[in-house]
Structure formats: C-alpha cells, structure tokens
Amino acid sequence: MATVTGALLCAGTALFLLLCAGTALFLLLCALIEVLHTRRLTRSGVRTEGTVIANVPLRVDDGPARIPVIAFADQQGRRVEFRPRMRGRGMGLPTGATVPVVHPPGRPRQARVLTRRHMAGPAVALTLGAAAFLGVAAVIVAG
C-alpha cells in the first residue's frame, strides 16, 4: 500500500513539475512575442499624441483603482479612444495630460501609450510570472 501511495505522490509531483515548467515556457514565449511586437511597433508604428480624457474606475467595487481613457485623432482625422493595456501602480496618467501614442499602420484601435513603462510592462510582467513558475519548479526538483 505504501508503495502505491508513494508512486502516486511521485506521479503527482512530476505532473505538477511539468505543469509549472510548461506554464513558465508558455509565459516566456508570450513575453518574446510581446517584445517582438513592441519592437515592430516602435520601429514602424504610426506616432501621434493623445489626451487623457478620463480616469474611469476599473470596477465599481474596486475603490481607487482607475484606468486612463486616452483619445487621439487617427490618420483620417477620426477620434479614437482606448485604454492602456498596462495597469497598476505607477501606470496611472493624470486627466488632461498629453501622452505619446503609437499604433500599427491602419489599426488605430490597437494603440498603446508610447512610454517605457507602458511598452515594456507587459513583457516584464510575463517574464516575472515565468520566473515565479520556474522558481516553484526548482523548489520541487530540489525538494
């Protein structure tokens, strides 16, 4: 009985290790794709300036968490509004502020705030998540 229980425990641990390592690799792949997209966007994207027109609550019950809404005119002069992908501490933008914006040619709805924090933030967050999963995998292997 103890041997069967030990084998199940080892199989469960191996499965958890594979799950952690697989998740880490997936997050690293997503981070790489994000870096390549950001690089392409900064090199060949359409640059313009936008204005922070509002800071809306993330959800009604979230309290002080707010997301900036940025408006800019695309190449045809149409008004486009978007909310930055990066959110959290240090990512806020004051209402009325003018911010640099970049978007893929012909796709203004995919705009991003052109600051180091907003451009690099998603890749950094994905990489940190991958490091956390790799850390758990390392503890499993060492333990």
Side-chain angles (χ1 to χ4, degrees), residues 62-101:
D62 276 353
R66 297 183 129 6
I67 304 169
V69 178
I70 300 164
F72 67 96
D74 68 6
Q75 291 175 307
Q76 285 74 39
R78 292 180 297 228
R79 180 182 166 110
V80 178
E81 293 182 10
F82 76 99
R83 297 174 183 184
R85 292 176 55 195
M86 270 313 290
R87 299 173 182 159
R89 294 180 197 256
M91 295 296 163
L93 299 166
T95 302
T98 300
V99 294
V101 173

Side-chain angles (χ1 to χ4, degrees), residues 6-107:
L8 288 175
L9 185 60
C10 286
T13 302
L15 182 63
F16 189 66
L17 174 65
L18 286 174
L19 185 63
C20 285
T23 301
L25 289 175
F26 175 74
L27 289 174
L28 285 173
L29 177 63
C30 290
L32 177 62
I33 291 168
E34 184 66 31
V35 165
L36 294 174
H37 178 70
T38 299
R39 186 174 170 195
R40 183 173 57 245
L41 196 55
T42 55
R43 286 186 176 178
S44 62
V46 177
R47 294 170 187 244
T48 187
E49 285 193 342
T51 303
V52 180
I53 59 170
N55 277 284
V56 297
L58 185 56
R59 275 185 245 132
V60 176
D61 60 341
D62 276 353
R66 297 183 129 6
I67 304 169
V69 178
I70 300 164
F72 67 96
D74 68 6
Q75 291 175 307
Q76 285 74 39
R78 292 180 297 228
R79 180 182 166 110
V80 178
E81 293 182 10
F82 76 99
R83 297 174 183 184
R85 292 176 55 195
M86 270 313 290
R87 299 173 182 159
R89 294 180 197 256
M91 295 296 163
L93 299 166
T95 302
T98 300
V99 294
V101 173
V102 64
H103 64 83
R107 295 184 301 198

